[in-house]
């Protein structure tokens, strides 16, 4: 191992030691408070409220495997300037990885996920942010800040949450505005100029209106040197900004409107690919590996801009409540990487590190994207043994995907291949759920959902990187598909 790699490993061990010491000190203070009679009564289980069944309930009474993370834990976990992947393994059975850097997280629950890195690939783990499903994988990377809690629902959730939930659901709930004035600020700084700035402020605007503004800024200096262009750090830095503004209108106990606008901007480096990094036939890194150096003749860059808005309205009537959730999301991004992981090729020496059979430098982007969702839901609020809820859901998404290839062996690395996909996706669903308390100790639950989904897809290749072999444009190619599905569940608690 090189000296820089040894230093890097030593630094990580030191940081972990400090973090462990701080955690033990914090635990000791909490334990002392309990012994002195100043802490909470540990003989009572804390009541944790969740919305896994689309309404607020005690976690102990929900027949679903659920894990939650509250604000305090999120503040600690997210203070290192990391993207949403910091949640990986923080929740049992959850893994998150990416081949696009910070822009395109792929989620796995209990090992079930989708490794496909196409920008319209559906995932079996659904992410719902403030009541709005984030269908496109780029939308799923919105930063984590100023949240009230995260809920992870393990296993199929098709009845109440719909499509693309066979592995489970991640629910993010932002801290809502209220009439009390409060706020917070958090600053973290670390190696390579890593910075995490986060804060929020909220309170009453009038007797009926309250608001909350929260923002996050994260950055890291380039710290990886591309040895192909001389000394100096060139890669793996980023600048990211996200913000959220909310207004809550509550003129009476019978109506409430929560309005949310959020934005995100990212400028950084795509995932760094490193050729021949693993010793063949082993799990070991090759000798001499230095994490602060790479040899590549391509470009690694990433840009992303996104914004969205939603409105959550609720009315309370005699014996029932009506909810409306309207949301719009849009994102533009372009991510480019030298995915051959090195320089040159065997047919165009010099090449390396190690064996590079061919060049591969490509980019994928969303120049046009829009997602609209609407849900109406009725929920009973009586004191009877039978409770119910029913709803209607509508989804509409238009997406355009550009794919490019570049000639890494020619000066200026010109574009030598391009293709485009467009997809229009509409879906609607009807769903309902019943809950019957047989007695004080036993409750039956059941749910049913009907979903209809349609897609119109067009693909066209304008230029082929193999044009010198007589391979030219293709298409446009058209496809239309539709399907319907009925899902149900039954449980006893």
């Amino acid at each position: 191992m090189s000296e820089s790699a040894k230093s890097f490993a030593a630094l990580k061990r030191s940081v972990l030691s400090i973090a462990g010491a701080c955690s033990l000190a914090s635990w000791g203070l909490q334990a002392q408070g309990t012994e002195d009679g100043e802490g909470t009564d540990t003989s009572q289980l804390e009541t944790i409220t969740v919305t896994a069944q689309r309404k607020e309930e005690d976690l102990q009474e929900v027949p679903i495997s659920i894990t939650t993370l509250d604000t305090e834990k999120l503040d600690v976990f997210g203070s290192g300037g990391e993207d949403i992947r910091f949640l990986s393994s923080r929740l049992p059975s959850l893994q998150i990885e990416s081949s696009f850097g910070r822009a395109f997280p792929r989620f796995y629950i209990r090992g079930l996920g989708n490794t496909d890195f196409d920008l319209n690939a559906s995932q079996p783990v659904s992410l719902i942010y403030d009541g709005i499903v984030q269908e496109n994988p780029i939308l799923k990377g919105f930063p984590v800040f100023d949240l009230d809690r995260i809920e992870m629902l393990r296993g199929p959730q098709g009845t109440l949450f719909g499509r693309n939930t066979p592995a489970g659901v991640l629910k993010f709930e932002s801290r809502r505005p209220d009439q009390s004035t409060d706020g917070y600020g958090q600053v973290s700084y670390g190696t390579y100029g890593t910075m995490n700035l986060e804060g929020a402020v909220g309170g009453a605007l009038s007797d009926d209106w309250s608001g909350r503004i929260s923002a996050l800024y994260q950055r890291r200096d380039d710290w990886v040197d591309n040895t192909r262009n001389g000394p100096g750090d060139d890669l793996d830095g980023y600048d990211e900004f996200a913000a959220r503004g909310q207004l809550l209108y509550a003129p009476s106990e019978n109506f409430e409107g929560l309005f949310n606008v959020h934005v995100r901007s990212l400028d950084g480096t795509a995932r760094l690919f490193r050729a021949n990094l693993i010793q063949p036939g082993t799990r070991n890194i090759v000798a001499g590996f230095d994490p602060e150096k790479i040899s590549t003749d391509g470009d690694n860059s990433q840009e992303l801009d996104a914004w969205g808005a939603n409105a959550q309205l609720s009315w309370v009537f005699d014996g029932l409540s009506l909810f409306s959730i309207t949301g719009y999301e849009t994102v533009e991004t372009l991510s480019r990487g030298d995915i051959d992981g090195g320089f040159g090729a065997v047919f165009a020496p010099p090449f390396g590190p190690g064996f590079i059979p061919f060049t591969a430098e490509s980019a994928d982007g969303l120049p046009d994207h829009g997602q609209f969702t609407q849900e109406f839901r009725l929920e009973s609020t009586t004191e009877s043994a039978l409770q119910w809820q029913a709803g209607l859901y509508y989804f509409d998404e238009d997406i355009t995907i550009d794919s490019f290839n570049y000639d890494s062996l020619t000066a200026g690395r010109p574009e030598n291949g391009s293709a485009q996909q467009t997809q229009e996706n509409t879906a609607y669903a009807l769903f309902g759920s019943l809950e019957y308390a047989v007695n004080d100790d036993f409750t039956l639950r059941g749910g049913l959902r009907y979903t209809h989904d349609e897609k119109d897809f067009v693909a066209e290749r304008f230029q082929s990187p193999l044009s010198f072999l007589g391979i030219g444009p293709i298409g446009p190619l058209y496809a239309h598909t539709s399907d319907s599905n009925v899902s149900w569940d039954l449980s006893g608690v």
Side-chain angles (χ1 to χ4, degrees):
M1 181 180 290
S2 67
E3 290 302 320
S4 58
K6 291 180 180 178
S7 300
F8 184 70
L11 175 63
K12 289 199 293 184
R13 288 194 295 270
S14 299
V15 171
L16 288 173
S17 298
I18 294 171
C22 291
S23 298
L24 287 173
S26 175
W27 177 85
L29 289 173
Q30 293 173 355
Q32 180 180 0
T34 302
E35 292 171 359
D36 293 342
E38 298 173 359
T40 58
D41 182 2
T42 57
S43 65
Q44 298 293 325
L45 286 176
E46 178 186 1
T47 299
I48 300 176
T49 302
V50 296
T51 55
Q53 299 280 355
R54 307 301 301 276
K55 57 183 180 179
E56 293 189 351
E57 297 177 284
D58 184 350
L59 174 62
Q60 301 296 324
E61 299 177 1
V62 178
I64 297 175
S65 180
I66 306 174
T67 303
T68 65
L69 276 179
D70 59 22
T71 302
E72 291 185 9
K73 291 182 180 179
L74 288 171
D75 287 344
V76 175
F77 294 155
S79 62
E82 299 179 76
D83 57 74
I84 195 173
R85 289 174 291 174
F86 78 80
L87 291 173
S88 185
S89 298
R90 305 291 189 185
L91 294 164
S93 306
L94 175 66
Q95 296 293 326
I96 311 174
E97 52 87 20
S98 173
S99 54
F100 275 70
R102 299 171 70 87
F104 187 155
R106 295 194 289 261
F107 296 81
Y108 304 81
I109 295 179
R110 294 173 172 169
L112 181 58
N114 186 0
T115 61
D116 192 344
F117 50 82
D118 201 313
L119 292 180
N120 68 341
S122 294
Q123 296 185 6
V125 177
S126 183
L127 191 147
I128 299 174
Y129 215 125
D130 292 330
I132 306 299
V133 62
Q134 308 294 301
E135 174 62 21
N136 188 269
I138 301 296
L139 294 177
K140 296 177 188 288
F142 193 85
V144 178
F145 64 101
D146 195 29
L147 297 186
D148 181 55
R149 67 183 181 274
I150 293 177
E151 299 176 17
M152 184 178 75
L153 287 55
R154 291 185 289 274
Q157 309 293 328
T159 301
L160 290 175
F161 291 99
R163 46 186 270 159
N164 299 334
T165 61
V169 170
L170 280 171
K171 292 181 78 270
F172 290 14
E173 299 289 342
S174 298
R175 174 76 181 272
R176 288 163 53 100
D178 54 37
Q179 288 287 301
S180 60
T181 301
D182 68 349
Y184 76 95
Q186 179 174 297
V187 179
S188 302
Y189 186 82
T191 309
Y192 309 123
T194 303
M195 185 181 297
N196 188 89
L197 304 176
E198 180 179 340
V201 62
L205 303 177
S206 69
D207 291 341
D208 297 336
W209 288 89
S210 55
R212 188 173 184 88
I213 297 176
S214 51
L216 172 75
Y217 174 69
Q218 297 178 321
R219 72 171 307 277
R220 177 174 294 162
D221 293 335
D222 288 326
W223 61 279
V224 179
D225 175 28
N226 183 9
T227 61
R228 293 293 296 172
N229 59 11
D233 295 331
D234 313 281
L235 300 167
D236 221 28
Y238 56 83
D239 278 272
E240 180 158 16
F241 172 78
R244 180 188 304 114
Q246 299 181 86
L247 288 174
L248 177 64
Y249 178 56
S252 69
E253 296 182 353
N254 298 324
F255 174 77
E256 178 181 279
L258 178 61
F259 307 94
N260 177 314
V261 177
H262 46 276
V263 297
R264 179 192 184 193
S265 179
L266 169 65
D267 183 6
T269 301
R271 184 69 174 264
L272 297 184
F273 293 85
R274 300 175 186 266
N276 305 306
L277 187 60
I278 308 297
Q279 295 181 24
T282 75
R283 298 180 180 181
N284 302 323
I285 301 294
V286 295
F289 167 65
D290 187 343
E292 297 185 7
K293 293 183 180 180
I294 192 172
S295 292
T296 177
D297 57 4
D299 180 39
N300 280 73
S301 60
Q302 192 168 84
E303 296 180 356
L304 184 153
D305 290 289
W307 71 272
N310 59 70
Q312 302 183 49
L313 310 178
S314 63
W315 294 264
V316 178
F317 304 104
D318 185 20
L320 61 86
S321 296
L322 170 64
F323 300 90
S324 170
I325 305 177
T326 307
Y328 178 78
E329 303 287 340
T330 182
V331 60
E332 294 183 16
T333 186
L334 181 66
S335 184
R336 177 173 173 175
D338 187 30
I339 57 177
D340 60 61
F343 61 90
V346 291
F347 57 84
F351 61 89
F355 180 71
I356 308 293
F358 53 83
T359 63
E361 182 180 351
S362 63
D364 287 286
L366 298 178
D368 186 33
H369 169 270
Q371 172 193 293
F372 173 79
T373 57
Q374 174 65 55
E375 177 177 293
F376 296 104
R377 183 170 59 88
L378 284 170
E379 177 185 324
S380 64
T381 58
T382 65
E383 298 295 330
S384 68
L386 180 65
Q387 299 293 316
W388 58 269
Q389 56 179 310
L392 170 66
Y393 177 77
Y394 177 76
F395 174 91
D396 184 90
E397 181 188 52
D398 289 340
I399 184 172
T400 300
I401 302 172
D402 284 338
S403 298
F404 305 99
N405 197 81
Y406 302 91
D407 182 1
S408 298
L409 301 178
T410 300
R413 302 192 300 278
E415 177 186 314
N416 65 353
S418 63
Q420 187 176 86
Q421 307 169 58
T422 61
Q423 179 175 284
E424 297 181 6
N425 183 193
T426 57
Y428 65 86
L430 300 171
F431 62 92
S433 176
L434 293 176
E435 176 182 316
Y436 180 69
V438 179
N439 53 47
D440 291 341
D441 299 321
F442 185 66
T443 300
L444 284 173
R445 300 183 186 224
L448 187 68
R449 187 182 187 99
Y450 170 79
T451 300
H452 181 75
D453 200 330
E454 294 188 5
K455 289 185 173 71
D456 288 294
F457 180 79
V458 182
E460 185 172 6
R461 184 173 69 199
F462 306 109
Q463 180 185 13
S464 169
L466 300 178
S467 58
F468 62 91
L469 297 178
I471 300 176
I474 294 179
L477 307 175
Y478 299 92
H480 172 81
T481 185
S482 64
D483 200 4
S484 299
N485 182 68
V486 175
S487 58
W488 60 273
D489 63 74
L490 183 65
S491 64
V493 181

